[in-house]
Amino acid sequence: FFRFEYIRESIFHDDAYKAIICFPEFLAIYDEHGELHDEFEDDMMQAFKWVIENVQEFYQVSREDIDRYFAEYRRRCEHLGYSLRVYYMKLCRFLMRSDGEELPRVYEQFHRARRDRISDCEACEANFDMEIALHLGDTEKALKIAAPILQGEKRCAEVPHKTYSTLAEHFLYRGDLDEAQYYAALCERWTQLKPEFLYDTGTLLEVASVMDPQHGWTMLKHTLSDYMASRNPESRLNY
C-alpha cells in the first residue's frame, strides 16, 4: 500500500524518478504474494500504466528495457482481462518519439479498444487525441478535438494544463506568436509554475524569450531551484 502511494506521489507531485526506482520492488512484492492480488490488482495495473508512460523520459532506461516493460504490461492486460486501450495509448506516445511510421496503425488500435476501469480519464484521452492530430500536422482537427477542454467541459489534474502547453509550443514553432502567447498565459495560470510542471515551464520560458523576456526572467528566478532539484532528464532538458 505504501509503495503504491509512494509511486503515485512521485508521478503526480514530483518528477517520477522515485516511481521508476520503486516500481520493480513494488511489482516483485505483488507477484510474490498471491493473497494480495484481489485487493491490489487495480493498483498494480495503475502503477504499471504510470511507469510505462513516464519511463520514456529517462535516458538511463534502455530501449530494450522499455520494450520489455511494454511487453509485460500487455501480457498482464491480456491475462487479467483488461482492455488494451491503455497499452496502445502509451505505446503511441512512445512511437511519437521513436517510430512515426508505426504510429497510425497503433493509434487506430487504440480507438478500437474499449474503455475500462484503468483507462485514462476522458480529458486525458481528448488531450492525447489533440496531440496526435498536431503530430500528424492537422491543426484544425486538433483544435476541434480540444474544444471540450478549451471550453472547460473536460478537465483533470493535468488537463487543461498540458493542453495549453502543447498548443503554446505548437503555435510558437508555426510562427503564430500571438496564439502562442495566449496559450502560454493560460498554461501559466493553471500550472502556477509548480515543480511537477517543470517541462511545461520550459515551454513557457521559450515563448517568453520571444514575446516577453522580462517576464521570462521573472519565471526563471522563481523556478530555477525546481530545475536544480529535478531528476527528470526530459523535464530538465526542456527547461
Side-chain angles (χ1 to χ4, degrees), residues 28-181:
I29 292 172
Y30 174 86
D31 287 343
E32 290 167 7
H33 293 272
E35 72 276 12
L36 298 177
H37 290 185
D38 287 345
E39 183 178 358
F40 288 100
E41 179 184 296
D42 281 4
D43 286 351
M44 181 274 292
M45 293 300 292
Q46 288 284 359
F48 213 144
K49 175 178 77 171
W50 296 331
V51 167
I52 61 171
E53 180 171 29
N54 286 272
V55 75
Q56 307 165 32
E57 300 172 4
F58 292 82
Y59 67 84
Q60 300 94 330
V61 183
S62 70
R63 172 64 186 265
E64 291 74 19
D65 285 340
I66 291 174
D67 288 341
R68 279 194 289 270
Y69 267 129
F70 272 105
E72 178 61 16
Y73 183 75
R74 176 168 187 156
R75 185 190 72 79
R76 289 178 186 253
C77 285
E78 293 174 334
H79 176 69
L80 296 171
Y82 290 95
S83 168
L84 290 178
R85 189 175 180 89
V86 167
Y87 167 79
Y88 288 125
M89 180 181 182
K90 306 311 177 185
L91 183 58
C92 279
R93 287 196 177 279
F94 181 57
L95 293 175
M96 288 169 71
R97 308 162 181 260
S98 61
D99 189 349
E101 292 184 1
E102 186 71 3
L103 179 61
R105 183 190 68 81
V106 177
Y107 182 57
E108 183 179 353
Q109 293 291 96
F110 159 73
H111 274 292
R112 287 182 179 179
R114 74 184 192 281
R115 285 183 56 81
D116 62 11
R117 64 180 183 271
I118 65 168
S119 295
D120 280 18
C121 71
E122 291 184 3
C124 282
E125 287 196 350
N127 181 72
F128 167 68
D129 283 331
M130 180 204 73
E131 290 180 353
I132 292 289
L134 290 176
H135 186 78
L136 297 176
D138 194 336
T139 302
E140 183 178 353
K141 181 179 179 180
L143 291 174
K144 184 176 180 179
I145 291 170
I149 298 173
L150 303 180
Q151 294 165 8
E153 298 170 8
K154 293 183 178 181
R155 65 180 59 172
C156 67
E158 295 184 332
V159 175
H161 320 49
K162 296 288 186 180
T163 309
Y164 292 142
S165 173
T166 301
L167 289 172
E169 183 177 49
H170 172 73
F171 284 111
L172 175 66
Y173 280 91
R174 274 188 43 165
D176 193 338
L177 302 184
D178 289 337
E179 284 292 287
Q181 189 173 39

Side-chain angles (χ1 to χ4, degrees), residues 17 19 26 98 125 127 145 163-164 188 194 218 226 228 232:
Y17 176 82
F26 167 84
S98 61
E125 287 196 350
N127 181 72
I145 291 170
T163 309
Y164 292 142
E188 183 178 353
K194 291 180 179 178
T218 300
D226 297 331
M228 298 299 292
N232 183 305

